[in-house]
Amino acid sequence: MHDIVTEGYMPFMGYHTYYRIVGEASEKAPLLLLHGGPGSTHNYFEVLDSIADTGRQVISYDQIGCGNSYLDGHPELWTQKTWIDELIAIREHLHLDTVHILGQSWGAMQAIPGVFKPVDRGGCKLVDGGMLNNLPVDVCREMGADIVIAVDLQQNDQKPHKQTDLSALSALADLIGVGGILNWILNRPDIEKYIANKQQADILIHPYLPDYDVTSFGNKIAARMIESGADATRQLLPQIRALGN
């Protein structure tokens, strides 16, 4: 089946997006691949073509501005919104109502809004903030909280990120048009904020969860994780009670 390859272009924002489909449609949900970068291409995902031999289509595409979807001179397009809209568009164009999504590097980050969909409330669009503020104690303080009891699920010790000299990479940033994203990857301001917020919390509950990660789902797993959180909370009950005195 992986020798059946269909290629095409989807109209998008006045330009075009290249896509590649391996295999034929079946009752199995297709696998949609999101490449890294921003600025890479679909090509390295071709090693997964053999998955089509199981009867599951394998679909990849070059995000706008990359590879066969190359576009020059439009840095205003290089935003998360563009690429998320493109992901939605490619699913609609190829009628992918039910699909498995596998992202690598930037592609994995791009898949997050597809799992945690934005919510419109009070004129604001609320999105998952894990990549910007994973322990928002500062937000609670700004909202007027006198006491903040924070729950930190981070299992690895985060250390201050070493600042990187961007001068040698400025040409690359200008070339790929994602200087802001590149700067975030190199300097990780979210880690600095995370460390500061840990120190701002009145009580920091830190459940011991070494065997679980963001892919851990299921009722039994959830029960064990909840119990671990309860144990960590019970150990801090004297400090929590003292806050009320």
Side-chain angles (χ1 to χ4, degrees):
M1 293 288 290
H2 72 270
D3 57 344
I4 302 176
V5 178
T6 303
E7 298 176 288
Y9 287 90
M10 172 191 73
F12 181 67
M13 298 184 68
Y15 305 101
H16 60 264
T17 296
Y18 166 85
Y19 61 84
R20 179 177 184 269
I21 303 173
V22 183
E24 297 180 326
S26 70
E27 72 282 357
K28 293 185 177 180
L31 175 63
L32 180 61
L33 306 171
L34 309 182
H35 67 69
S40 188
T41 69
H42 78 281
N43 299 82
Y44 60 86
F45 274 136
E46 293 182 14
V47 297
L48 301 180
D49 283 359
S50 60
I51 292 177
D53 292 338
T54 68
R56 188 185 307 280
Q57 279 188 324
V58 179
I59 303 172
S60 57
Y61 66 98
D62 287 339
Q63 297 162 20
I64 189 168
C66 309
N68 294 326
S69 304
Y70 181 74
L71 179 64
D72 193 17
H74 292 277
E76 73 279 1
L77 295 179
W78 312 152
T79 67
Q80 185 191 58
K81 183 179 186 306
T82 295
W83 287 307
I84 295 302
D85 287 347
E86 185 180 39
L87 171 58
I88 295 172
I90 200 78
R91 289 189 60 181
E92 292 177 349
H93 183 75
L94 298 178
H95 308 292
L96 303 177
D97 298 326
T98 302
V99 66
H100 298 287
I101 297 179
L102 173 63
Q104 185 272 330
S105 185
W106 158 248
M109 294 172 59
Q110 185 183 353
I112 291 174
V115 177
F116 302 102
K117 296 183 179 180
V119 175
D120 291 308
R121 182 174 180 181
C124 297
K125 187 173 289 292
L126 307 181
V127 299
D128 178 67
M131 300 306 297
L132 294 177
N133 196 348
N134 204 32
L135 193 71
V137 176
D138 56 332
V139 176
C140 294
R141 296 292 188 195
E142 291 171 3
M143 295 175 67
D146 296 319
I147 297 174
V148 178
I149 300 175
V151 180
D152 179 18
L153 301 182
Q154 176 66 251
Q155 298 300 300
N156 299 318
D157 185 26
Q158 296 284 359
K159 299 179 180 180
H161 196 72
K162 182 180 179 181
Q163 295 293 311
T164 305
D165 182 7
L166 289 177
S167 59
L169 295 169
S170 60
L172 175 60
D174 291 338
L175 176 64
I176 63 176
V178 288
I181 296 175
L182 180 62
N183 182 72
W184 182 89
I185 292 172
L186 291 172
N187 296 303
R188 294 303 302 275
D190 60 310
I191 293 180
E192 303 296 331
K193 179 171 286 190
Y194 165 76
I195 294 172
N197 279 334
K198 284 178 64 176
Q199 297 171 348
Q200 286 190 41
D202 295 287
I203 299 289
L204 186 68
I205 300 174
H206 194 189
Y208 185 60
L209 302 167
D211 300 322
Y212 307 107
D213 55 29
V214 295
T215 65
S216 300
F217 292 96
N219 293 335
K220 292 183 179 180
I221 292 176
R224 291 194 292 268
M225 294 175 72
I226 291 171
E227 184 56 32
S228 179
D231 287 341
T233 303
R234 282 190 283 266
Q235 294 176 25
L236 292 171
L237 279 178
Q239 293 94 315
I240 294 173
R241 291 193 179 104
L243 292 175
N245 297 331

